[in-house]
Amino acid sequence: MPGTAEGAGVREVKSAARTVELLELLAARGDRPARLQELADALGVPRSSMYALLQTLIARGWVRTDVTGSLYGIGIRALLTGTGYLDSDPRVRLVRPYLDEASEELGETIHLGRLDGRDVAYLATRESHAYLRTISRVGRRLPAHVGALGKALLAERPDADLPEGPYEALTPNSRTSREALAADLAGVRERGYAVDREEGVLGIVGFGFALRYDTPALDAISCSVPVARLTPAHEERIVAVMRETRARIEASAPGAGGGPHWR
C-alpha cells in the first residue's frame, strides 16, 4: 500500500504462526521430548489439530517421533535451516577469522552472539584447547541480563527499554532486579565493555564487547575464562586483545555491503 512499509497491517496467518510456535516449543525443550497432549495444552489447540500438524511436520523432517509414535522432538530440518542461516550471514563470515585469532592469542574461548529479544543467540564459538565444553554453544540462547555478550548489547540501549523484573537467576550471582542491572550497565558504558563474573555459569568469567557496525549494536564478541585461570595480568591482556579485535572487526565491516540489510 502507498505510504506504508511492506508487510505493515498484514493479518497474521494463524496456521503459520501455530507451526512456528510448535517448532520453537520443541526446540526449547532440548532433550525432553513432549507428548501430544502436552503440546496441545501448551499451545491451546485441539488434540486432533495438533496431531495433524505433527504428522505433517514429521513427514517433512521438521519434527521427529519415537518408535511408539507417542513422543515428539525437533527434527533435523531445523538444524539444516539453522546452518543455512549461519552460512548466509555476512557478519558471521566476517567475524569468524577474528575469533580464531583472538582464541589463538589468548588461549581462551571466544564467542560471537546476536541479540534476539531478551536473549542472546550464539552464532559462532572458538573453543579454548585448555577448557573444552562437552556441548557447543552455537545455536543456543542465554538470557541477555546474565552474560557478557548480552550486557554489552543491552548497554547500547537506553535503560527505559529494560523489561520490569524480577529476572531469571541462573546462578547466585545473577542480577535479578531492573535496578541492579541498570547500575551494572552504567559501568559497562563507562568501561566500554561488559563483565560477567559467574552470573551465567559458575566458575566462568566473561568479557563482552559490542560490535558497533549496526546502530544500535546487534552483535557482540566475548571471551570466556575459567575463574581458576583469571589473574589480574591475564584479565588486563584479555581486555586489550578483545578491544583490538573489536576495532579490527568494525574497521573491516562494510557499511551496507553489496547484499541485503537484514532487520
Side-chain angles (χ1 to χ4, degrees):
M1 288 182 291
T4 63
E6 184 178 356
V10 175
R11 186 172 64 249
E12 181 178 77
V13 179
K14 290 184 178 180
S15 59
R18 181 176 295 172
T19 301
V20 172
E21 289 168 359
L22 172 60
L23 293 174
E24 289 180 342
L25 175 59
L26 289 173
R29 291 179 64 92
D31 62 354
R32 297 178 296 112
R35 295 187 179 276
L36 174 61
Q37 193 61 55
E38 289 181 273
L39 297 172
D41 292 343
L43 298 184
V45 300
R47 182 185 173 96
S48 59
S49 298
M50 178 56 65
Y51 181 77
L53 178 55
L54 286 167
Q55 295 309 307
T56 299
L57 293 174
I58 289 169
R60 294 177 178 269
W62 284 93
V63 172
R64 59 181 171 174
T65 188
D66 71 333
V67 294
T68 70
S70 60
L71 296 175
Y72 301 93
I74 195 71
I76 196 169
R77 287 288 173 183
L79 170 63
L80 300 178
T81 300
T83 302
Y85 175 89
L86 294 176
D87 291 343
S88 68
D89 191 283
R91 302 302 201 198
V92 176
R93 291 199 304 271
L94 168 72
V95 173
R96 277 173 175 158
Y98 295 100
L99 301 186
D100 292 335
E101 293 175 11
S103 182
E104 187 69 26
E105 185 169 356
L106 292 170
E108 304 295 353
T109 298
I110 312 296
H111 302 290
L112 167 68
R114 179 166 295 164
L115 193 65
D116 181 26
R118 296 179 64 171
D119 298 332
V120 166
Y122 285 78
L123 302 182
T125 293
R126 295 298 178 263
E127 298 284 0
S128 165
H129 296 302
Y131 176 72
L132 294 176
R133 299 175 188 272
T134 56
I135 300 176
S136 172
R137 274 208 182 274
V138 175
R140 299 179 182 275
R141 301 160 69 90
L142 190 72
H145 69 279
V146 299
L149 288 168
K151 292 197 294 180
L153 292 167
L154 292 178
E156 297 290 304
R157 291 155 173 78
D159 288 345
D161 290 352
L162 293 175
E164 295 296 330
Y167 307 143
E168 179 184 8
L170 297 191
T171 77
N173 300 318
S174 302
R175 288 171 172 80
T176 58
S177 74
R178 194 173 189 270
E179 294 72 22
L181 180 59
D184 189 25
L185 297 181
V188 175
R189 297 180 188 110
E190 184 176 348
R191 284 191 306 270
Y193 63 93
V195 183
D196 152 28
R197 298 194 186 275
E198 301 185 80
E199 296 166 44
V201 180
L202 287 175
I204 299 294
V205 177
F207 302 88
F209 298 75
L211 298 175
R212 295 166 181 148
Y213 43 53
D214 294 309
T215 305
L218 290 173
D219 297 347
I221 55 173
S222 72
C223 177
S224 296
V225 192
V227 171
R229 285 215 304 274
L230 187 62
T231 64
H234 192 32
E235 179 169 336
E236 184 176 344
R237 183 162 178 264
I238 287 170
V239 171
V241 169
M242 294 300 289
R243 281 189 191 274
E244 175 63 21
T245 300
R246 170 170 64 184
R248 292 170 61 206
I249 292 171
E250 291 176 345
S252 300
H261 185 67
W262 300 107
R263 59 184 175 132

